Amino acid sequence: MPWELKSDRPIYTQLIEYIELMIVSGVYPLGSKLPSVRDMAQEAAVNPNTMQRALAKLEEDGLIITHRTSGRSITEDESMVAKAKTKLAQQQISEFLEKMQLMGFDQQEILTIIDNMVKGMKK
Amino acid sequence: MPWELKSDRPIYTQLIEYIELMIVSGVYPLGSKLPSVRDMAQEAAVNPNTMQRALAKLEEDGLIITHRTSGRSITEDESMVAKAKTKLAQQQISEFLEKMQLMGFDQQEILTIIDNMVKGMKK
DNA sequence: ATTACTGTATTAACCACTTAATACAATAAT
DNA sequence: ATTATTGTATTAAGTGGTTAATACAGTAAT
């Protein structure tokens, strides 16, 4: 996992999105323990303060539980994660469709393009 | 046209994307004249320097022609615009599919979701 | 008890983005 | 010729993100 961080957006927001993706996809399972702030910061090659900021936001959103001295873990509330996944997906889809329409593609075009792209993907 | 500018990314990059969208969608037709930097800045409610920066990038990309003292216009090179449109679309699609897959949706799921979303859209 | 590790907070410095206020050169309009 | 408008450049100030270097309190491990 490469932690591909670009410089066109604040790093902490990219960290939030990336970690959230790992959670909703199950790479970080329900209730599992997360590495320490320092370790995660080192793995992502960012400053601990920056990682701290991202994790604080994820805790605020209820996806992560903080145990003051024994580290952090993913929430055990399955519905919390499911809700986050649904929200993320719908957000992705609507943004995508909106931009494609603004570009001038009509509904049928979008469908066929997607269909071709999906078929072209390695499964 | 609202110029919806968010604060989570640099404004000038959002301006670039927005104007590019207007070009590839034909809202700004081939060869048409653009308003002055100052006017566009005022319309978007940003500083002229910021708008200048965005326009300079679009000129660098070949979508806009600058006439030193008589303003700017959209390129008349149709293939230039077509190429930009294709590139934009493929970028949107691949980013979208990648994220959906990272979230854990398989190909069939993505297709049916999109299909339902599209059908749900008022044309 | 001591040690090591946890999250958290603070301070200073640096840098990119943004704005504001100008100014200049070239040309279109009059 | 004069005026207005064009793109462009410069300088200063403010803001927010990022890093670095610490420091502290609480707790798990030994």
Side-chain angles (χ1 to χ4, degrees), chain B residues 11-74:
Chain B
I11 294 179
Y12 80 97
T13 60
Q14 300 181 58
L15 294 178
I16 292 171
E17 293 172 8
Y18 185 78
I19 298 172
E20 189 176 9
L21 225 69
M22 294 305 101
I23 295 176
V24 302
S25 66
V27 173
Y28 293 157
L30 286 177
S32 64
K33 195 167 179 305
L34 281 175
S36 73
V37 184
R38 294 169 176 82
D39 286 350
M40 292 187 73
Q42 187 173 20
E43 189 184 326
V46 300
N47 188 277
N49 296 328
T50 308
M51 181 60 75
Q52 160 76 17
R53 185 168 180 178
L55 293 173
K57 176 63 166 60
L58 288 168
E59 185 193 4
E60 184 187 323
D61 293 342
L63 290 177
I64 282 181
I65 306 296
T66 299
H67 314 97
R68 187 66 175 72
T69 59
S70 63
R72 282 181 239 255
S73 58
I74 308 298

Side-chain angles (χ1 to χ4, degrees), chain A residues 1-5 15 18-19 22 27-28 34-48 51:
Chain A
M1 42 223 103
W3 292 90
E4 295 176 20
L5 301 173
L15 294 178
Y18 185 77
I19 297 171
M22 295 303 103
V27 173
Y28 293 157
L34 280 176
S36 73
V37 184
R38 294 169 176 80
D39 287 350
M40 292 186 74
Q42 187 172 21
E43 189 185 326
V46 299
N47 189 275
M51 181 59 75

Side-chain angles (χ1 to χ4, degrees), chain B residues 76-90:
Chain B
E76 297 186 0
D77 185 345
E78 185 174 354
S79 70
M80 209 76 193
V81 177
K83 194 172 297 180
K85 181 175 178 177
T86 303
K87 184 179 177 183
L88 247 187
Q90 289 186 339

Side-chain angles (χ1 to χ4, degrees), chain A residues 64-122:
Chain A
I64 282 182
I65 306 295
T66 299
H67 314 99
R68 187 67 174 72
T69 58
S70 62
R72 291 176 158 95
S73 58
I74 308 298
T75 178
E76 298 185 358
D77 185 343
E78 185 173 356
S79 70
M80 208 75 192
V81 177
K83 193 171 300 183
K85 181 174 179 176
T86 302
K87 184 178 176 184
L88 248 186
Q90 288 186 338
Q91 185 178 319
Q92 289 297 320
I93 295 171
S94 61
E95 283 178 7
F96 169 70
L97 289 181
E98 187 178 358
K99 262 196 182 164
M100 291 295 284
Q101 284 192 112
L102 280 178
M103 268 185 266
F105 295 98
D106 63 35
Q107 304 184 4
Q108 191 52 49
E109 275 178 302
I110 297 177
L111 281 179
T112 56
I113 289 175
I114 286 277
D115 200 52
N116 289 335
M117 286 287 279
V118 169
K119 284 175 181 169
M121 293 188 316
K122 285 282 163 293

